[in-house]
């Protein structure tokens, strides 16, 4: 027969390799001392690591979001500051332009004087320059024409302004005085009105006090009359009570008054506690006799109690002696039982030593070597 090379079954080889890898992984997991002795749960540790990584990632994302928010806020603040500076610069330019257009120096009230002093080109001289000699100069550099007239006009204008201000101030003072006078009159009228109202109020209060005093007086008279009638009634009742007590059986001290006969009572006459005046000599002697009898009876009971106590003490003493004798007997029995138990234990110990000597010297003579112990734990099965 010819030798034919058949194709190798790769699925069987892969299955064998897969089983070998699973066996190696299983041996590594079983013979891992750390996992086997300490009991580490790898899945829980991996889960904890994943949770920690997730927390760190969330913290990083939160920090990045905060940084972005901070940057956006900073940009907004810088933009707002820039806009404010631009607005302030525009306002300053508008102010400068307004002053240059509407607040020029030549448009002011005294611009003609200052402008003339500075040597205005419009200042004209009434005398021509050809008619003036070197020693007849009237206008020098920095001076103007008609300076005195301008100063006089300015002084007159100042006087008019001062006069107008003084008149305005005097007018305001007169108006202020008129207002104060009117205010004073109003206060006086108000005070007079208040005085009148206070007088009317006092009159009303006085009338009310008079009416109240009359009412109180009438009430007091009525109360005094009622008290007098009550006093007379109480005095009459007290006199009647005194008369009743004097004529009653309570003060006469009649013994018969304290006894009352009833038909339904089988014990005879009953004693009325509110009228009882004390016991008779016969009743007192009966009480003393009864008390002596009770004392004798008590002495007899006490003697009987003493005899019973003596008998009971004797009985307890006999019981204690009997119990002591029984305890001695029990101790003697326990001592004998312990002696017998010690002898039995010695016999058992001797037998055990003999048996152990037989096991060590005759039965178990072949001791296991190191190779016997190393054959265990070499496979996962």
């Amino acid at each position: 027969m010819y030798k034919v090379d058949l194709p190798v079954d790769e699925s069987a080889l892969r299955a064998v390799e897969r089983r070998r890898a699973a066996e190696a992984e299983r041996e590594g997991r079983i013979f891992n001392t750390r996992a086997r002795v300490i009991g580490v749960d790898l899945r829980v540790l991996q889960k904890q690591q994943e949770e920690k990584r997730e927390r760190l990632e969330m913290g990083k994302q939160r920090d990045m979001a905060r940084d972005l928010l901070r940057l956006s806020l900073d940009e907004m603040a810088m933009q707002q500051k820039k806009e404010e500076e631009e607005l302030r610069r525009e306002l300053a330019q508008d102010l400068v332009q307004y002053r240059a257009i509407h607040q020029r120096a030549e448009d002011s009230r005294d611009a003609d004087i200052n402008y003339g002093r500075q040597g205005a080109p419009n200042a004209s001289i009434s005398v021509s320059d050809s008619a003036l000699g070197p020693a007849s100069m009237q206008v020098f550099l920095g001076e103007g024409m008609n300076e005195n007239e301008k100063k006089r006009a300015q002084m007159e204008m100042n006087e008019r302004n001062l006069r107008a201000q003084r008149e305005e101030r005097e007018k305001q003072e007169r108006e202020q005085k008129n207002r104060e006078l009117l205010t004073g009159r109003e206060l006086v009228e108000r005070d007079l009105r208040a005085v009148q109202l206070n007088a009317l109020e006092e009159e009303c209060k006085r009338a009310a006090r008079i009416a109240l005093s009359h009412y109180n007086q009438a009430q007091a008279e009525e109360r005094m009359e009622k008290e007098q009638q009550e006093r007379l009634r109480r005095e009459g009742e007290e006199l009647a009570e005194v008369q009743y007590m004097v004529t009653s059986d309570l003060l006469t001290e009649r013994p018969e008054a304290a006894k009352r006969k009833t038909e339904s009572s089988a014990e005879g006459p009953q004693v009325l506690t509110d009228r009882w005046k004390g016991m008779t000599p016969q009743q007192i002697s009966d009480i003393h006799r009864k008390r002596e009898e009770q004392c004798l009876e008590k002495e007899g009971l006490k003697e009987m109690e003493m005899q019973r106590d003596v008998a009971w003490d004797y009985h307890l003493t006999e019981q204690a002696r009997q119990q002591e004798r029984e305890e001695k007997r029990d101790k003697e029995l326990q001592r004998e039982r312990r002696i017998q138990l010690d002898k039995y234990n010695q016999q058992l110990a001797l037998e055990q030593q003999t048996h152990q000597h037989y096991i060590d010297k005759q039965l178990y003579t072949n001791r296991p070597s190191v190779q016997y112990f190393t054959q265990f734990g070499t496979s996962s099965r």
Side-chain angles (χ1 to χ4, degrees):
M1 297 180 66
Y2 297 98
K3 184 178 180 181
V4 180
D5 294 333
L6 297 176
V8 181
D9 191 359
E10 296 182 357
S11 61
L13 294 177
R14 287 196 298 270
V16 171
E17 292 294 333
R18 185 167 58 252
R19 286 196 297 271
R20 289 178 179 175
E23 182 67 18
E25 190 272 334
R26 188 168 182 271
E27 289 181 357
R29 186 174 68 254
I30 291 175
F31 293 107
N32 187 0
T33 307
R34 181 179 179 85
R36 178 170 54 81
V37 177
I38 300 178
V40 179
D41 194 349
L42 296 178
R43 288 180 295 180
V44 175
L45 293 177
Q46 292 176 359
K47 185 177 180 181
Q48 291 178 357
Q49 291 179 358
E50 291 176 359
E51 291 177 355
K52 184 175 181 181
R53 284 196 295 269
E54 290 177 0
R55 288 198 301 270
L56 293 176
E57 187 67 24
M58 290 175 64
K60 291 180 180 179
Q61 293 179 1
R62 185 169 56 252
D63 294 337
M64 291 176 62
R66 290 177 178 175
D67 294 336
L68 293 175
L69 179 61
R70 193 181 301 109
L71 292 174
S72 62
L73 292 176
D74 292 340
E75 291 178 358
M76 291 174 62
M78 293 175 64
Q79 184 68 22
Q80 185 176 3
K81 184 177 180 181
K82 185 176 180 181
E83 292 176 358
E84 290 177 358
E85 291 178 355
E86 186 69 24
L87 181 59
R88 193 180 295 110
R89 186 166 55 254
E90 291 177 0
L91 291 175
Q93 292 179 0
D94 293 340
L95 181 60
V96 172
Q97 187 176 1
Y98 178 82
R99 289 176 178 175
I101 296 174
H102 300 284
Q103 294 182 356
R104 296 185 303 174
E106 55 270 18
D107 294 338
S108 61
R109 182 181 297 178
D110 54 350
D112 53 347
I113 299 174
N114 296 329
Y115 196 67
R117 288 180 179 176
Q118 293 175 3
N122 296 330
S124 60
I125 302 174
S126 59
V127 183
S128 61
D129 295 334
S130 60
L132 297 175
S136 301
M137 296 182 64
Q138 297 181 0
V139 179
F140 295 94
L141 184 62
E143 293 184 357
M145 296 296 295
N146 301 326
E147 184 71 21
N148 295 328
E149 287 78 2
K150 291 180 180 179
K151 288 182 179 181
R152 191 179 301 110
Q154 185 69 28
M155 291 174 65
E156 291 176 356
M157 185 180 296
N158 291 335
E159 288 179 359
R160 287 195 300 271
N161 292 334
L162 291 173
R163 192 180 303 110
Q165 291 177 3
R166 186 167 54 253
E167 291 176 355
E168 183 68 23
R169 186 169 60 255
E170 291 176 355
K171 182 180 179 181
Q172 291 178 359
E173 290 177 357
R174 287 195 301 271
E175 292 178 355
Q176 183 67 23
K177 288 181 180 179
N178 293 331
R179 285 195 297 271
E180 291 177 357
L181 182 59
L182 293 174
T183 304
R185 289 180 181 178
E186 291 178 358
L187 292 176
V188 170
E189 292 178 357
R190 192 179 302 168
D191 293 339
L192 292 174
R193 182 65 177 170
V195 170
Q196 292 176 0
L197 292 176
N198 289 332
L200 292 174
E201 187 177 359
E202 290 295 333
E203 187 67 25
C204 293
K205 289 182 179 180
R206 185 165 57 255
R209 285 196 298 270
I210 293 171
L212 182 61
S213 63
H214 291 166
Y215 176 75
N216 292 334
Q217 187 176 0
Q219 291 287 333
E221 292 176 356
E222 184 178 359
R223 187 172 62 255
M224 290 176 64
E225 185 178 356
K226 289 182 179 179
E227 289 178 356
Q228 186 176 2
Q229 293 178 359
E230 182 69 22
R231 186 172 60 256
L232 292 175
R233 185 184 61 78
R234 189 168 57 253
E235 288 178 357
E237 292 178 355
E238 290 176 356
L239 290 174
E241 185 178 359
V242 170
Q243 185 179 2
Y244 174 75
M245 293 296 294
V246 170
T247 58
S248 64
D249 295 335
L250 182 63
L251 297 179
T252 56
E253 297 184 357
R254 292 189 305 113
E256 294 79 6
K259 296 181 180 180
R260 182 179 59 182
K261 293 182 178 181
T262 57
E263 297 179 356
S264 61
S265 178
E267 297 178 357
Q270 295 182 356
V271 178
L272 302 178
T273 57
D274 58 343
R275 300 179 185 180
W276 187 65
K277 300 300 179 181
M279 293 184 297
T280 61
Q282 184 179 0
Q283 292 176 345
I284 294 174
S285 63
D286 293 340
I287 290 174
H288 287 301
R289 183 174 51 80
K290 190 67 175 176
R291 185 174 61 183
E292 290 177 357
E293 292 177 358
Q294 291 178 356
C295 290
L296 292 175
E297 184 178 358
K298 187 175 182 180
E299 289 293 336
L301 292 175
K302 187 181 294 185
E303 185 68 23
M304 292 174 62
E305 185 71 22
M306 291 177 63
Q307 292 177 2
R308 187 167 56 251
D309 292 341
V310 170
W312 182 252
D313 291 340
Y314 177 75
H315 179 67
L316 292 177
T317 303
E318 289 296 328
Q319 284 186 353
R321 290 175 181 175
Q322 183 67 23
Q323 186 175 3
E324 185 177 359
R325 287 194 295 270
E326 290 179 357
E327 289 179 356
K328 289 181 179 179
R329 191 181 303 110
D330 292 338
K331 289 181 179 179
E332 185 67 24
L333 291 175
Q334 290 179 3
R335 187 174 64 79
E336 293 178 357
R337 191 180 299 111
R338 188 167 54 252
I339 292 172
Q340 294 177 2
L341 182 62
D342 293 340
K343 291 180 180 179
Y344 180 71
N345 290 334
Q346 290 178 359
Q347 184 179 357
L348 290 178
L350 182 61
E351 292 177 357
Q352 185 179 8
Q353 289 178 0
T354 304
H355 182 68
Q356 188 68 30
H357 183 268
Y358 168 74
I359 290 173
D360 294 339
K361 300 299 183 180
Q362 297 180 10
L363 185 61
Y364 297 145
T365 57
N366 188 12
R367 296 290 181 179
S369 62
V370 179
Q371 295 179 357
Y372 174 78
F373 293 102
T374 55
Q375 68 180 346
F376 299 102
T378 57
S379 177
S380 62
R381 298 298 177 180

